[in-house]
Amino acid sequence: TNEEKPKLYNGKVVCVDNGVIPRKVTVGKIYDVVDGILPYDDGDTSVRRGLRTFAEFADSFATVKFIEVVE
């Protein structure tokens, strides 16, 4: 089986509203998202499965808001 893995979202995002999880993410902090996985401040991770774009990533959070960092 030579199945190609789908390309998942990779990029830098900055938190602009930490919603209901203020101890997990910090407003103003830049996070590196690798293969849809967001590293939380407490060492935990938020795995967002199957997300290929920043829009899909951002929409996957109910109350936390991110904007994409474009370099």
Side-chain angles (χ1 to χ4, degrees):
T1 59
N2 195 6
E3 233 178 273
E4 195 173 310
K5 285 174 46 177
K7 183 146 173 54
L8 301 177
Y9 177 69
N10 290 281
K12 291 184 186 297
V13 299
V14 63
C15 178
V16 293
D17 184 347
N18 57 8
V20 297
I21 57 169
R23 291 178 304 283
K24 294 280 192 180
V25 291
T26 302
V27 172
K29 183 174 177 179
I30 295 174
Y31 295 88
D32 277 316
V33 179
V34 178
D35 291 335
I37 300 172
L38 172 74
Y40 282 143
D41 293 348
D42 62 3
D44 218 352
T45 55
S46 175
V47 178
R48 303 307 210 199
R49 299 195 186 284
L51 305 181
R52 293 184 179 94
T53 66
F54 170 73
E56 289 176 347
F57 172 83
D59 287 348
S60 72
F61 290 90
T63 62
V64 179
K65 304 282 184 261
F66 293 97
I67 56 174
E68 191 169 31
V69 175
V70 180
E71 298 183 273

